[in-house]
Amino acid sequence: MSSIDTGASSASTSDLSVLRLLRPGPGAGAALTAAIAAATALPLAAPQVTRRFVDDAIGGASTRHLTLVALAYLGLAVAGQAARMVTAWLASRLAWDGTNRLRERLTGHALGLDLAFHGRHTPGELIERVDGDVVAVADFVVAFLLDVVASVLLLAGVIVVVFAVDWRIGAVLLMYCLLIGYGMARAQRLAVPSAARSRAASATLFGTLEERLAGAEDLRANGAGEHTVRRFHQVAAALFQAERRDARIGTTLLAGTSVAFAAGTAIMLGLAAWTVQAGTLTVGTAVLLFQYTLMVRAPFERLIDQIRQYQAALAGLARIAALLAERPALTPGTRPLPATGPLGLRVEGVAFGYPDDDEQVLSGIDVTLAPGETLGLVGRTGSGKTTLARLVLRLHDPVEGAVRVGGVDLREADPHALRTRIGVVTQDVQLFAASVRDNLTLFRPSPGDERLMEVLHGVGLGEWAAGLPDGLGTELRGVSAGQAQLIAFARAFLADPGLVVLDEASSRLDPATERRIEDSVGRLLHGRTAVIIAHRLSSLSRVDKIAVLDHGKIVEYGRRDELAADPDSRFGRLLDLAGVSR
Ligand SMILES: Nc1ncnc2c1ncn2[C@@H]1O[C@H](COP(=O)(O)OP(=O)(O)OP(=O)(O)O)[C@@H](O)[C@H]1O
Ligand SMILES: [Mg+2]
């Protein structure tokens, strides 16, 4: 397993470069700064107005004057709330923009990495990177701006203002804040591991659920439902215990915090009362101090909350950076392939073994196809047929030798030309929960429904397509394995490729359908070079050449008619064994 699985607990400089993707534009940044400043300053000003009101009221000011002061207070309160709303709105927009940028970047990056990488990482793992980690990081960045920056500013503001009113009370407030901060940080050390335990239990529960649901068909068919439910019950019980423990700690902390704040408020109230009686402060100032003391609580609570998220964000940041640092093993070339017509294929002295695997899967492979020629590739299961096909598609590079298509070494070929000029139907067809149209074009711009229908007719799906309720816009679901394969045929021929690789492409079709589409595929292959891999030898009746693979080596290679005519050839004997006429 590579490094993206390890959640390192400290961020390096390259990790921090991920944050650049979350950075807002200069305009949005300035607006956010202004909003945060207003959201901090306005609540700080409100108690000043209250003091004025109380002192003026005691001093016997007119009702008109008091109403004006009260209105000013109201205005401040409304403006303060508005500033907070604008800040929250700006910050969440920033988070969405940033999250989307980061997700897009990661998705594109992961799709651009080659098969060797995807062999090492499951889709589930990558989803966790692109979704879970990105959200943790983006959430933290927003929370950092909203909660950490705003809270620290507000706390500092309160302490400074209280110092200015009465330095002795300011000093007491400062001491009190430091004590509370210390106590909360200590208590958090208890809470964080327990929260982590309950998150892990929840991940196990969902992992189990996902796996069991995905295997529902097999589980039911084998009567394993009851056992599965019992096992699930155990996992759920573990989550319950972890959550209960976490909740107990959480509630205790909350109660402790409330008592601490109540005690602090009482102390401040007592102090204020004492100074008022001593005649050093007015009643209005005492009310002001009391209000400031109350204001200290919320920022503290938000700060403590952030400590939990901070750790998750840091781990997420390290994993995202590690994923972005992964480089494809195949470097793209720039040479174009001939834009039209069939492409010749030359496989020259090719040897190959899968990365992280010492075994040689292919060796000494030489194949030459002139433009328009077709090759039938046969051999026992595991002999290396699909592997050779992958080299022709440049999903891997050969360890020795070269694969040339249209005279261009694939290592130098422009990847875009490669993907459009070479078509493929693989052993396991991947369909998407999307419209028939998108499944054919693979989400690329459509060449028009007429052309799509033409290709569907070509592979024998014309009637099926005509019966779709919303035409090609119908969501694709419930197709049989054979229909899926026909859709894959249509997909491969849509771009009018010059070289086609069909890997067991007709293996799931019933004999009648296979015969029916044999003609249309034959027509589609006309004027194209093709490599056709087949276990069923009857589907190789029209190919020009045959190569027999055995343990990664070509043990027989020649023109089909000559091999079929040769009584001693392996291919001839295979035909006899399969009961196919020579
Ligand atoms: N992604 C992979 N990583 C490592 N080894 C692989 C991988 N794919 C295939 N192999 C190994 O390479 C060898 C050739 O496999 P390949 O899939 O090319 O055979 P095949 O001839 O297509 O077989 P089949 O007829 O069953 O499709 C096998 O020993 C297989 O175990
Ligand atoms: Mg295969």
Side-chain angles (χ1 to χ4, degrees):
M1 284 280 147
S2 91
S3 58
I4 76 163
D5 305 309
T6 57
S9 56
S10 64
S12 69
T13 30
S14 71
D15 295 356
L16 295 178
S17 71
V18 172
L19 292 178
R20 246 185 295 143
L21 286 167
L22 293 170
R23 198 166 54 187
L32 190 64
T33 311
I36 289 179
T40 312
L42 290 170
L44 272 180
Q48 306 283 353
V49 182
T50 327
R51 163 166 69 175
R52 180 87 183 269
F53 185 89
V54 174
D55 284 343
D56 289 357
I58 291 172
S62 70
T63 319
R64 202 182 110 78
H65 175 77
L66 288 178
T67 313
L68 279 180
V69 178
L71 282 178
Y73 180 82
L74 196 65
L76 263 182
V78 170
Q81 235 0 281
R84 240 199 114 65
M85 267 168 65
V86 172
T87 313
W89 181 76
L90 279 174
S92 75
R93 248 201 59 181
L94 187 153
W96 272 106
D97 287 353
T99 309
N100 286 343
R101 265 200 304 274
L102 199 53
R103 276 199 182 135
E104 243 175 75
R105 177 73 198 276
L106 279 175
T107 309
H109 183 77
L111 287 177
L113 291 171
D114 37 52
L115 285 191
F117 170 84
H118 288 284
R120 276 182 283 126
H121 302 285
T122 64
E125 212 184 304
L126 295 179
I127 289 172
E128 185 52 29
R129 284 305 80 74
V130 173
D131 187 66
D133 286 341
V134 167
V135 170
V137 171
D139 273 0
F140 179 71
V141 169
V142 175
F144 182 81
L145 290 171
L146 274 185
D147 291 339
V148 180
V149 173
S151 298
V152 168
L153 281 178
L154 192 64
L155 272 180
V158 167
I159 291 171
V160 167
V161 173
V162 173
F163 253 104
V165 173
D166 185 313
W167 69 267
R168 288 160 308 175
I169 298 184
V172 172
L173 185 66
L174 181 61
M175 284 296 294
Y176 165 72
C177 283
L178 289 177
L179 258 172
I180 295 247
Y182 176 74
M184 277 181 152
R186 285 301 301 253
Q188 210 52 31
R189 272 198 220 145
L190 260 179
V192 169
S194 115
R197 264 196 299 277
S198 92
R199 264 203 308 277
S202 148
T204 312
L205 180 80
F206 283 108
T208 313
L209 189 59
E210 189 199 333
E211 192 185 275
R212 301 302 139 86
L213 284 178
E217 200 174 325
D218 283 349
L219 289 175
R220 277 173 66 168
N222 291 302
E226 220 175 286
H227 294 281
T228 309
V229 170
R230 194 172 316 139
R231 192 65 65 79
F232 186 72
H233 180 81
Q234 288 166 356
V235 179
L239 173 62
F240 172 68
Q241 274 158 10
E243 289 271 354
R244 195 171 54 180
R245 198 185 134 80
D246 190 35
R248 209 167 37 219
I249 293 182
T251 322
T252 314
L253 281 185
L254 199 68
T257 323
S258 298
V259 170
F261 277 117
T265 313
I267 292 171
M268 291 303 284
L269 218 49
L271 262 179
W274 175 69
T275 38
V276 170
Q277 263 172 5
T280 24
L281 288 182
T282 63
V283 179
T285 312
V287 173
L288 168 124
L289 290 175
F290 176 60
Q291 278 190 319
Y292 279 132
T293 313
L294 288 183
M295 278 169 70
V296 167
R297 179 172 186 163
F300 259 123
E301 281 175 349
R302 287 204 295 267
L303 279 177
I304 289 307
D305 209 35
Q306 283 317 309
I307 297 180
R308 283 169 184 245
Q309 293 200 23
Y310 171 70
Q311 281 166 348
L314 216 58
L317 199 63
R319 285 191 294 254
I320 290 172
L323 175 55
L324 283 178
E326 290 269 351
R327 290 279 156 258
L330 309 181
T331 41
T334 51
R335 286 182 62 186
L337 297 181
T340 53
L343 299 167
L345 170 69
R346 283 181 71 98
V347 180
E348 300 167 345
V350 158
F352 179 74
Y354 283 97
D356 311 326
D357 205 341
D358 297 335
E359 214 179 320
Q360 190 97 315
V361 176
L362 295 174
S363 60
I365 306 284
D366 283 290
V367 172
T368 306
L369 291 180
E373 268 189 335
T374 51
L375 171 79
L377 198 54
V378 295
R380 249 181 260 162
T381 190
S383 56
K385 303 181 297 294
T386 298
T387 306
L388 182 54
R390 287 186 186 137
L391 297 185
V392 172
L393 295 163
R394 208 200 173 196
L395 295 175
H396 297 282
D397 278 338
V399 179
E400 270 171 42
V403 180
R404 292 177 203 282
V405 171
V408 179
D409 187 331
L410 290 184
R411 280 172 288 220
E412 295 163 8
D414 167 38
H416 178 71
L418 213 95
R419 298 288 162 245
T420 47
R421 294 295 287 142
I422 307 182
V424 60
V425 178
T426 54
Q427 268 175 308
D428 37 11
V429 177
Q430 208 37 258
L431 295 178
F432 300 93
S435 66
V436 174
R437 190 183 297 117
D438 285 341
N439 268 286
L440 288 172
T441 59
L442 289 179
F443 309 98
R444 286 175 291 208
S446 168
D449 284 1
E450 238 169 81
R451 167 87 183 119
L452 294 181
M453 284 306 284
E454 186 189 312
V455 176
L456 284 171
H457 268 291
V459 300
L461 280 176
E463 250 176 68
W464 171 80
L468 292 171
D470 291 325
L472 296 177
T474 312
E475 170 139 358
L476 185 68
R477 58 159 68 103
V479 291
S480 72
Q483 281 170 329
Q485 207 123 37
L486 294 178
I487 289 172
F489 268 117
R491 214 184 248 172
F493 287 107
L494 192 60
D496 196 16
L499 170 66
V500 186
V501 179
L502 305 180
D503 189 355
E504 303 281 358
S506 49
S507 62
R508 297 189 206 186
L509 304 177
D510 61 278
T513 314
E514 192 182 348
R515 263 194 304 281
R516 195 150 51 81
I517 73 152
E518 205 167 85
D519 291 327
S520 26
V521 171
R523 247 179 292 127
L524 284 169
L525 286 179
H526 184 77
R528 300 178 214 278
T529 317
V531 176
I532 303 173
I533 301 173
H535 275 298
R536 223 179 297 167
L537 299 180
S538 56
S539 38
L540 295 177
S541 56
R542 299 164 194 244
V543 296
D544 300 309
K545 288 180 173 172
I546 290 287
V548 182
L549 264 182
D550 190 24
H551 291 96
K553 291 192 174 62
I554 294 189
V555 289
E556 192 166 281
Y557 175 57
R559 304 207 68 80
R560 184 192 184 281
D561 39 7
E562 285 168 16
L563 290 178
D566 179 353
D568 293 329
S569 73
R570 286 180 183 241
F571 182 63
R573 282 201 301 272
L574 284 173
L575 286 178
D576 292 343
L577 269 177
V580 179
S581 63
R582 289 191 175 208

